[in-house]
Amino acid sequence: MSKKIFPKNRLLIFGLFLLTLLIMVSLLASYVAPFDPNYVEVENRLNRPGGKNILGTDGYGRDIFSRIVFGARFSLSLAVLVVLINLCIGVFIGTASGFFGGAVDELTMRLVDILLAFPNIIFALLVIGILGPSIPNLVFALVALGWTNYARITRGLVLSLKEQDFIISIKAIGGGDFYIITRHVIPSIIPFLVVLATLNMGHMIMSIAALSFLGLGVQIPTPEWGSMLSEGKQFIFTHPHVIISPGLAIIIAVFAFNLLGDGLRDVLDPRTKEIIKT
Amino acid sequence: MLEAVNLSKSFYYGLFQRNKNDAVKNVSFKIKKGETLCLLGESGCGKTTAGMMIAGLIKPTSGMVLYRKENIFKYRPKELKKFRTRLQIIFQDPDTVLNPRWIIEKSLSEPLRIHGLANGKESRDRIMELIETVGLSHEHLNRYPFELSGGQLQRIILARALLLKPDFIVADEPTSSLDVSVQAQILTIFKELQKKFQLSCLFITHDLHVARCIADRIAVMYKGTMLEEGNAEDIFSNPVHPYTRGLLDSLIIPDPEAVHPLDSNIPITSDRNYTGCKYKELCDYREQICEEKEPVLKK
C-alpha cells in the first residue's frame, strides 16, 4: 500500500525529507556541529557568516551553526514531548466521554469549553508566571491547555464511530467495552490523530520558541532557537545574521511538520485513498 | 424458546425530553425451536427496534424478553456474554458490519477470540468449514471488506454468525440491500443453514415475497403495534386485518386490473400519540369506536 501512495505525494516526501534531516541533525548534534555550542571566544564575536564559522558568531563569539544544531534537540524533543502528553491525555479523556457519554461526558466537555476560552499563549504565560520559568513548567503550561483540542476531536470521532454497525455487531457477538475501545475504536481513529498531532507539532515548536524568546522557557545560555532569538534581538539592525539563522531554523521545522501533516491528511483521507488504490 | 412479553420502547427527545415517540408498543410473541417468525411491516414501524431489543442491544422501556424462560435483561455480565454466543444478529447492510481495516479472516475469527473458544489451527478449520458451507472459498479470507460484493459479504456475515453455534438468529432485513437474484441465493443458503443447525429465527422484513419464502409464522406490525399474528399460510390466504389485506393486495402480480395498492397519499406520520386505532385513517371499515378505543390483539 505505502509503495503505491507515497510517490504520488511530492510535498509529503519533501516534508518527510526535511524532517528526517532535522531529526538526524539533532540526534547526531555532537558530530555535525563543528564547535562547542557554548564555547565563548570574545575576540571572534559577531563574525559575519562564511569562513571558519559557516553562519557566523553571536554576541559572545559562539558559533551560531553549532548552536542551531544543538538547539534542534531542545526544540524538537520538547515539542514532541508536549504533543505526546497532550495526545495521551486528550485521547483518554475524549474516548471515555465519547464512548460512555452521560455525566462524565458533560463534565469534561464543559471543562474543555472553559479551557478553550483562554488564548493558549496567554494561559501559558500565566502558568509560568505563577510557577516560575523552567523546562518542566514550560511543558506543564503547554499541556494544561493543549490536551483539550485532542479530547474534543477524539470525542467527536468516537461518537460517530460507536453508532456504526461494525461496533454494534461486535457488541452483539459479546465483545466488552474495553475490547471494543482498544481493538476497534482507537485503531480506527489513529490516522486522524497522527495528522492532528503532526500539524500540531509545528504549532508547538512556535509556542516553545515564543515562550523561550520571552525568557519563560528554555533559559539562557542553553542553545534553543527561541532563546537564541532573544539573545540576538539587540543586534537586529547591526548584525542581522545573529537573528536570521535561528529564525529560519524555526520556519523550516514548522514548514516540515506542516507539509508532512498536510501530506498525511491527503494520504489517509478515505476518499483520496480509494482513488489512489484503484 | 424465545418469548417477547409486552415489549415497549419509547424514545424521548426535544427540549427537556418533552416529546415521546412510542417506537414499539406492547409487542408480544413466542418463537419455538427451529421456527421462523417473520416480523413484517413498512419502514419506521418499529420492527428493527423490536429486533434490537430481542437481541439485547436496546433496553426496553417496559416488558421483557425471555430466552429459555429467563429474562435477558436481568442477566449478570457472565450470563450475558454466554447469551451472546446463543443468539446472533445479522444486520441489513453487509458493507458496514465488518471492520473496514481488517481482512475477512481476522473479522471471522473474532467471535472465537472474544469467547476464547478456539485459536490457531482449530479456529482456521472451523472458519474454513463454514466458509465453504456458505459457498465461498479460502481465497476470500485474505481480502478486505471493500473488495467483496454485497452478496459475498452477507455470506461472510452469515458464516460469522454461525461460528459460535447459536440456536437463535435475529435477521434484520438481511437481503434488502442486495439485488433480487442475490437475495434469492442468500435466502436459499439461509434456509439450508437453518435446517442444518436447527436454528430459530426472528426474520425482520418489509418484503412480502421474502416473508412468504422464509416464514413459518408472520407477525404484522404497524406504527409500533402488532396488528396480526398467525401461520404464514393463514395470513397469506386469509388475512384478517384490513392493513394486512391491503399489504397483500399491493403485491405486484402480472395483472394490472387486479392491483389494489394501499392508498399512498396519506403520509406516514411520526405522531403516535393520538387516541383510537392507528390504522383508522386508511381503513375501509372505520366506525365510531375506532376514534375512541385502540383495539387489542387477541389470541
Side-chain angles (χ1 to χ4, degrees):
Chain A
M1 186 175 95
S2 53
K3 273 179 204 158
K4 279 185 194 168
I5 289 171
F6 283 115
K8 300 230 172 194
N9 199 324
R10 291 202 193 101
L11 287 181
L12 177 73
I13 294 291
F14 187 55
L16 210 59
F17 168 75
L18 271 182
L19 202 64
T20 320
L21 197 72
L22 277 170
I23 292 170
M24 292 303 283
V25 162
S26 65
L27 286 178
L28 303 171
S30 28
Y31 301 100
V32 177
F35 299 98
D36 179 348
N38 288 323
Y39 181 67
V40 177
E41 215 174 344
V42 186
E43 60 270 29
N44 276 333
R45 71 191 289 265
L46 297 173
N47 277 357
R48 300 271 170 199
K52 189 172 70 152
N53 307 98
I54 308 167
L55 297 175
T57 55
D58 67 4
Y60 297 99
R62 295 173 298 197
D63 180 48
I64 292 179
F65 180 68
S66 302
R67 287 180 70 74
I68 284 177
V69 166
F70 273 90
R73 260 187 191 179
F74 277 95
S75 297
L76 289 182
S77 59
L78 271 179
V80 169
L81 183 72
V82 171
V83 167
L84 278 183
I85 297 175
N86 280 340
L87 191 67
C88 291
I89 299 176
V91 168
F92 182 79
I93 291 178
T95 312
S97 70
F99 196 84
F100 297 110
V104 184
D105 183 31
E106 279 297 318
L107 247 137
T108 48
M109 283 307 118
R110 293 301 80 77
L111 177 68
V112 166
D113 284 342
I114 293 168
L115 288 177
L116 280 174
F118 293 96
N120 254 324
I121 207 88
I122 310 261
F123 191 81
L125 280 176
L126 181 79
V127 171
I128 296 170
I130 295 168
L131 298 174
S134 74
I135 290 178
N137 289 349
L138 172 78
V139 173
F140 176 74
L142 291 171
V143 168
L145 271 189
W147 65 271
T148 51
N149 207 11
Y150 294 91
R152 175 164 274 208
I153 288 170
T154 306
R155 175 179 174 270
L157 292 170
V158 171
L159 270 182
S160 68
L161 206 62
K162 81 166 178 179
E163 296 299 327
Q164 286 188 18
D165 284 347
F166 82 91
I167 301 284
I168 300 174
S169 78
I170 290 151
K171 223 185 238 175
I173 286 169
D177 289 340
F178 185 73
Y179 176 89
I180 292 174
I181 288 174
T182 52
R183 298 295 171 83
H184 289 278
V185 174
I186 301 224
S188 302
I189 61 175
I190 276 179
F192 298 95
L193 295 175
V194 167
V195 173
L196 188 67
T198 314
L199 289 171
N200 196 226
M201 278 293 295
H203 191 77
M204 275 304 150
I205 291 175
M206 298 257 276
S207 297
I208 292 166
L211 287 169
S212 300
F213 177 80
L214 297 171
L216 297 171
V218 180
Q219 296 300 298
I220 295 166
T222 316
E224 198 275 343
W225 298 341
S227 62
M228 286 170 73
L229 284 178
S230 175
E231 279 184 292
K233 65 180 180 290
Q234 52 185 311
F235 307 114
I236 189 163
F237 293 115
T238 52
H239 302 86
H241 70 273
V242 178
I243 206 161
I244 286 172
S245 318
L248 274 175
I250 294 172
I251 290 171
I252 290 170
V254 173
F255 183 59
F257 276 110
N258 285 348
L259 279 183
L260 187 70
D262 275 343
L264 281 176
R265 184 169 52 200
D266 291 346
V267 171
L268 297 171
D269 188 325
R271 277 166 302 177
T272 54
K273 196 174 181 178
E274 290 297 317
I275 297 163
I276 292 166
K277 259 192 172 166
T278 47
Chain B
M1 173 137 149
L2 190 130
E3 192 179 351
V5 185
N6 290 329
L7 217 49
S8 299
K9 178 76 190 177
S10 307
F11 291 107
Y12 295 88
Y13 60 96
L15 196 62
F16 303 118
Q17 318 277 297
R18 271 184 310 195
N19 304 314
K20 188 178 151 200
N21 184 357
D22 294 320
V24 175
K25 209 172 171 188
N26 279 329
V27 167
S28 303
F29 51 78
K30 272 184 195 172
I31 300 172
K32 294 196 211 94
K33 187 156 180 59
E35 189 181 52
T36 302
L37 174 71
C38 208
L39 216 50
L40 192 65
E42 61 192 38
S43 302
C45 74
K47 51 194 197 304
T48 294
T49 310
M52 295 286 259
M53 285 193 282
I54 294 294
L57 291 170
I58 298 181
K59 271 215 159 86
T61 315
S62 68
M64 52 190 175
V65 176
L66 302 175
Y67 173 78
R68 292 183 191 276
K69 304 237 173 350
E70 280 182 84
N71 187 348
I72 64 165
F73 295 102
K74 294 264 160 67
Y75 277 148
R76 285 186 291 266
K78 239 187 179 167
E79 292 169 320
L80 184 65
K81 201 172 175 183
K82 176 98 178 115
F83 170 69
R84 298 272 187 231
T85 67
R86 312 310 307 144
L87 181 144
Q88 290 292 313
I89 183 164
I90 295 170
F91 290 95
Q92 178 172 359
D93 186 357
D95 292 337
T96 60
V97 174
L98 300 175
N99 188 331
R101 287 165 203 283
W102 285 13
I103 59 165
I104 299 298
E105 185 174 8
K106 200 174 172 192
S107 287
L108 270 174
S109 61
E110 192 175 25
L112 297 174
R113 266 182 290 130
I114 289 176
H115 292 281
L117 288 173
N119 45 38
K121 194 178 177 302
E122 200 189 337
S123 145
R124 212 184 146 77
D125 287 349
R126 235 159 111 179
I127 290 169
M128 284 310 302
E129 190 194 321
L130 272 167
I131 210 91
E132 276 158 23
T133 318
V134 296
L136 295 174
S137 72
H138 62 91
E139 66 188 82
H140 295 104
L141 289 178
N142 288 322
R143 307 261 190 91
Y144 284 91
F146 70 85
E147 295 174 302
L148 298 182
S149 70
Q152 288 170 324
L153 281 173
Q154 201 59 292
R155 287 166 200 237
I156 299 275
I157 290 157
L158 260 171
R160 183 165 84 152
L162 295 171
L163 207 56
L164 292 169
K165 299 184 178 146
D167 49 23
F168 195 98
I169 299 255
V170 174
D172 185 1
E173 309 217 27
T175 56
S176 60
S177 64
L178 307 171
D179 57 55
V180 180
S181 58
V182 183
Q183 271 188 18
Q185 290 171 19
I186 295 285
L187 283 178
T188 314
I189 293 172
F190 192 84
K191 275 170 89 170
E192 274 169 24
L193 291 172
Q194 208 185 350
K195 213 174 271 171
K196 192 173 166 191
F197 293 96
Q198 280 282 302
L199 294 164
S200 316
C201 177
L202 177 70
F203 198 99
I204 298 166
T205 185
H206 62 258
D207 189 329
L208 287 159
H209 298 282
V210 171
R212 187 170 226 166
C213 161
I214 203 127
D216 295 319
R217 288 192 305 132
I218 289 180
V220 183
M221 278 185 79
Y222 182 72
K223 292 191 181 176
T225 51
M226 229 163 84
L227 300 182
E228 185 167 5
E229 196 218 336
N231 286 330
E233 299 105 68
D234 293 348
I235 298 259
F236 274 105
S237 58
N238 186 23
V240 177
H241 197 282
Y243 176 67
T244 315
R245 231 173 278 169
L247 266 185
L248 293 179
D249 288 345
S250 70
L251 267 179
I252 296 168
I253 44 174
D255 177 5
E257 299 293 316
V259 177
H260 307 287
L262 285 170
D263 189 351
S264 56
N265 292 328
I266 296 174
I268 301 167
T269 52
S270 59
D271 176 23
R272 294 174 181 177
N273 301 322
Y274 48 77
T275 53
C277 179
K278 298 194 164 166
Y279 190 62
K280 64 186 176 200
E281 289 155 19
L282 294 165
C283 191
D284 295 334
Y285 305 92
R286 186 166 31 187
E287 293 170 22
Q288 184 58 35
I289 193 171
C290 299
E291 300 289 337
E292 292 150 10
K293 262 180 80 179
E294 187 171 353
V296 180
L297 181 63
K298 285 181 192 148
K299 292 282 159 203

PDB file of all heavy atoms in Angstrom, chain B residues 39-58:
ATOM      1  N   LEU B  39     -41.276 -10.787  11.073  1.00  0.00           N
ATOM      2  CA  LEU B  39     -41.840  -9.525  11.512  1.00  0.00           C
ATOM      3  C   LEU B  39     -41.980  -8.655  10.274  1.00  0.00           C
ATOM      4  O   LEU B  39     -40.993  -8.238   9.675  1.00  0.00           O
ATOM      5  CB  LEU B  39     -40.887  -8.886  12.527  1.00  0.00           C
ATOM      6  CG  LEU B  39     -41.466  -8.107  13.691  1.00  0.00           C
ATOM      7  CD1 LEU B  39     -42.535  -8.904  14.402  1.00  0.00           C
ATOM      8  CD2 LEU B  39     -40.367  -7.755  14.660  1.00  0.00           C
ATOM      9  N   LEU B  40     -43.234  -8.437   9.893  1.00  0.00           N
ATOM     10  CA  LEU B  40     -43.480  -7.772   8.614  1.00  0.00           C
ATOM     11  C   LEU B  40     -44.033  -6.383   8.874  1.00  0.00           C
ATOM     12  O   LEU B  40     -44.912  -6.215   9.718  1.00  0.00           O
ATOM     13  CB  LEU B  40     -44.496  -8.610   7.837  1.00  0.00           C
ATOM     14  CG  LEU B  40     -44.743  -8.316   6.372  1.00  0.00           C
ATOM     15  CD1 LEU B  40     -43.500  -8.610   5.575  1.00  0.00           C
ATOM     16  CD2 LEU B  40     -45.894  -9.169   5.869  1.00  0.00           C
ATOM     17  N   GLY B  41     -43.523  -5.407   8.137  1.00  0.00           N
ATOM     18  CA  GLY B  41     -44.082  -4.072   8.329  1.00  0.00           C
ATOM     19  C   GLY B  41     -43.357  -3.058   7.470  1.00  0.00           C
ATOM     20  O   GLY B  41     -42.290  -3.340   6.928  1.00  0.00           O
ATOM     21  N   GLU B  42     -43.969  -1.869   7.339  1.00  0.00           N
ATOM     22  CA  GLU B  42     -43.368  -0.846   6.493  1.00  0.00           C
ATOM     23  C   GLU B  42     -42.240  -0.139   7.235  1.00  0.00           C
ATOM     24  O   GLU B  42     -42.019  -0.367   8.439  1.00  0.00           O
ATOM     25  CB  GLU B  42     -44.450   0.153   6.079  1.00  0.00           C
ATOM     26  CG  GLU B  42     -45.084   0.855   7.273  1.00  0.00           C
ATOM     27  CD  GLU B  42     -46.335   1.629   6.891  1.00  0.00           C
ATOM     28  OE1 GLU B  42     -47.103   1.138   6.057  1.00  0.00           O
ATOM     29  OE2 GLU B  42     -46.525   2.720   7.445  1.00  0.00           O
ATOM     30  N   SER B  43     -41.529   0.731   6.513  1.00  0.00           N
ATOM     31  CA  SER B  43     -40.418   1.476   7.124  1.00  0.00           C
ATOM     32  C   SER B  43     -40.901   2.260   8.328  1.00  0.00           C
ATOM     33  O   SER B  43     -41.970   2.866   8.283  1.00  0.00           O
ATOM     34  CB  SER B  43     -39.835   2.476   6.122  1.00  0.00           C
ATOM     35  OG  SER B  43     -39.405   1.808   4.988  1.00  0.00           O
ATOM     36  N   GLY B  44     -40.124   2.241   9.394  1.00  0.00           N
ATOM     37  CA  GLY B  44     -40.439   3.066  10.551  1.00  0.00           C
ATOM     38  C   GLY B  44     -41.535   2.519  11.424  1.00  0.00           C
ATOM     39  O   GLY B  44     -42.057   3.206  12.285  1.00  0.00           O
ATOM     40  N   CYS B  45     -41.911   1.238  11.236  1.00  0.00           N
ATOM     41  CA  CYS B  45     -42.994   0.703  12.050  1.00  0.00           C
ATOM     42  C   CYS B  45     -42.475   0.125  13.350  1.00  0.00           C
ATOM     43  O   CYS B  45     -43.236  -0.381  14.158  1.00  0.00           O
ATOM     44  CB  CYS B  45     -43.788  -0.344  11.287  1.00  0.00           C
ATOM     45  SG  CYS B  45     -42.936  -1.898  11.099  1.00  0.00           S
ATOM     46  N   GLY B  46     -41.168   0.154  13.568  1.00  0.00           N
ATOM     47  CA  GLY B  46     -40.612  -0.294  14.842  1.00  0.00           C
ATOM     48  C   GLY B  46     -40.091  -1.713  14.810  1.00  0.00           C
ATOM     49  O   GLY B  46     -39.715  -2.255  15.837  1.00  0.00           O
ATOM     50  N   LYS B  47     -40.017  -2.310  13.621  1.00  0.00           N
ATOM     51  CA  LYS B  47     -39.591  -3.711  13.602  1.00  0.00           C
ATOM     52  C   LYS B  47     -38.114  -3.876  13.899  1.00  0.00           C
ATOM     53  O   LYS B  47     -37.720  -4.817  14.597  1.00  0.00           O
ATOM     54  CB  LYS B  47     -39.963  -4.381  12.270  1.00  0.00           C
ATOM     55  CG  LYS B  47     -39.530  -3.644  11.010  1.00  0.00           C
ATOM     56  CD  LYS B  47     -40.250  -4.240   9.807  1.00  0.00           C
ATOM     57  CE  LYS B  47     -39.583  -3.846   8.508  1.00  0.00           C
ATOM     58  NZ  LYS B  47     -39.443  -2.401   8.278  1.00  0.00           N
ATOM     59  N   THR B  48     -37.283  -2.925  13.458  1.00  0.00           N
ATOM     60  CA  THR B  48     -35.851  -3.020  13.782  1.00  0.00           C
ATOM     61  C   THR B  48     -35.627  -2.819  15.279  1.00  0.00           C
ATOM     62  O   THR B  48     -34.850  -3.530  15.896  1.00  0.00           O
ATOM     63  CB  THR B  48     -35.059  -1.976  12.987  1.00  0.00           C
ATOM     64  OG1 THR B  48     -35.147  -2.313  11.608  1.00  0.00           O
ATOM     65  CG2 THR B  48     -33.608  -1.971  13.401  1.00  0.00           C
ATOM     66  N   THR B  49     -36.340  -1.845  15.866  1.00  0.00           N
ATOM     67  CA  THR B  49     -36.214  -1.619  17.311  1.00  0.00           C
ATOM     68  C   THR B  49     -36.594  -2.882  18.074  1.00  0.00           C
ATOM     69  O   THR B  49     -35.924  -3.267  19.034  1.00  0.00           O
ATOM     70  CB  THR B  49     -37.104  -0.439  17.736  1.00  0.00           C
ATOM     71  OG1 THR B  49     -36.840   0.655  16.870  1.00  0.00           O
ATOM     72  CG2 THR B  49     -36.831  -0.035  19.165  1.00  0.00           C
ATOM     73  N   ALA B  50     -37.681  -3.529  17.631  1.00  0.00           N
ATOM     74  CA  ALA B  50     -38.098  -4.776  18.275  1.00  0.00           C
ATOM     75  C   ALA B  50     -36.978  -5.815  18.174  1.00  0.00           C
ATOM     76  O   ALA B  50     -36.645  -6.481  19.157  1.00  0.00           O
ATOM     77  CB  ALA B  50     -39.373  -5.297  17.629  1.00  0.00           C
ATOM     78  N   GLY B  51     -36.375  -5.916  17.000  1.00  0.00           N
ATOM     79  CA  GLY B  51     -35.295  -6.886  16.804  1.00  0.00           C
ATOM     80  C   GLY B  51     -34.100  -6.602  17.700  1.00  0.00           C
ATOM     81  O   GLY B  51     -33.510  -7.507  18.295  1.00  0.00           O
ATOM     82  N   MET B  52     -33.765  -5.308  17.823  1.00  0.00           N
ATOM     83  CA  MET B  52     -32.620  -4.926  18.667  1.00  0.00           C
ATOM     84  C   MET B  52     -32.893  -5.261  20.131  1.00  0.00           C
ATOM     85  O   MET B  52     -31.979  -5.602  20.878  1.00  0.00           O
ATOM     86  CB  MET B  52     -32.346  -3.425  18.540  1.00  0.00           C
ATOM     87  CG  MET B  52     -31.905  -2.982  17.168  1.00  0.00           C
ATOM     88  SD  MET B  52     -30.215  -3.454  16.788  1.00  0.00           S
ATOM     89  CE  MET B  52     -29.384  -1.916  17.094  1.00  0.00           C
ATOM     90  N   MET B  53     -34.150  -5.155  20.537  1.00  0.00           N
ATOM     91  CA  MET B  53     -34.480  -5.478  21.923  1.00  0.00           C
ATOM     92  C   MET B  53     -34.384  -6.988  22.142  1.00  0.00           C
ATOM     93  O   MET B  53     -33.885  -7.444  23.163  1.00  0.00           O
ATOM     94  CB  MET B  53     -35.879  -4.959  22.277  1.00  0.00           C
ATOM     95  CG  MET B  53     -35.896  -3.451  22.480  1.00  0.00           C
ATOM     96  SD  MET B  53     -37.401  -2.873  23.256  1.00  0.00           S
ATOM     97  CE  MET B  53     -38.535  -2.907  21.900  1.00  0.00           C
ATOM     98  N   ILE B  54     -34.865  -7.747  21.166  1.00  0.00           N
ATOM     99  CA  ILE B  54     -34.771  -9.212  21.261  1.00  0.00           C
ATOM    100  C   ILE B  54     -33.303  -9.620  21.384  1.00  0.00           C
ATOM    101  O   ILE B  54     -32.939 -10.519  22.135  1.00  0.00           O
ATOM    102  CB  ILE B  54     -35.397  -9.863  20.010  1.00  0.00           C
ATOM    103  CG1 ILE B  54     -36.889  -9.598  19.949  1.00  0.00           C
ATOM    104  CG2 ILE B  54     -35.121 -11.366  19.999  1.00  0.00           C
ATOM    105  CD1 ILE B  54     -37.692 -10.240  21.030  1.00  0.00           C
ATOM    106  N   ALA B  55     -32.434  -8.917  20.658  1.00  0.00           N
ATOM    107  CA  ALA B  55     -31.006  -9.252  20.694  1.00  0.00           C
ATOM    108  C   ALA B  55     -30.319  -8.683  21.932  1.00  0.00           C
ATOM    109  O   ALA B  55     -29.132  -8.873  22.126  1.00  0.00           O
ATOM    110  CB  ALA B  55     -30.324  -8.731  19.438  1.00  0.00           C
ATOM    111  N   GLY B  56     -31.069  -7.969  22.744  1.00  0.00           N
ATOM    112  CA  GLY B  56     -30.479  -7.423  23.965  1.00  0.00           C
ATOM    113  C   GLY B  56     -29.586  -6.230  23.738  1.00  0.00           C
ATOM    114  O   GLY B  56     -28.745  -5.912  24.563  1.00  0.00           O
ATOM    115  N   LEU B  57     -29.747  -5.542  22.605  1.00  0.00           N
ATOM    116  CA  LEU B  57     -28.886  -4.398  22.305  1.00  0.00           C
ATOM    117  C   LEU B  57     -29.530  -3.074  22.697  1.00  0.00           C
ATOM    118  O   LEU B  57     -28.858  -2.070  22.825  1.00  0.00           O
ATOM    119  CB  LEU B  57     -28.522  -4.373  20.820  1.00  0.00           C
ATOM    120  CG  LEU B  57     -27.595  -5.504  20.388  1.00  0.00           C
ATOM    121  CD1 LEU B  57     -27.486  -5.546  18.872  1.00  0.00           C
ATOM    122  CD2 LEU B  57     -26.215  -5.341  21.003  1.00  0.00           C
ATOM    123  N   ILE B  58     -30.854  -3.081  22.855  1.00  0.00           N
ATOM    124  CA  ILE B  58     -31.556  -1.892  23.356  1.00  0.00           C
ATOM    125  C   ILE B  58     -32.383  -2.336  24.551  1.00  0.00           C
ATOM    126  O   ILE B  58     -33.012  -3.396  24.508  1.00  0.00           O
ATOM    127  CB  ILE B  58     -32.505  -1.309  22.281  1.00  0.00           C
ATOM    128  CG1 ILE B  58     -31.721  -0.861  21.046  1.00  0.00           C
ATOM    129  CG2 ILE B  58     -33.289  -0.145  22.843  1.00  0.00           C
ATOM    130  CD1 ILE B  58     -32.613  -0.264  19.972  1.00  0.00           C
TER     131      ILE B  58
END
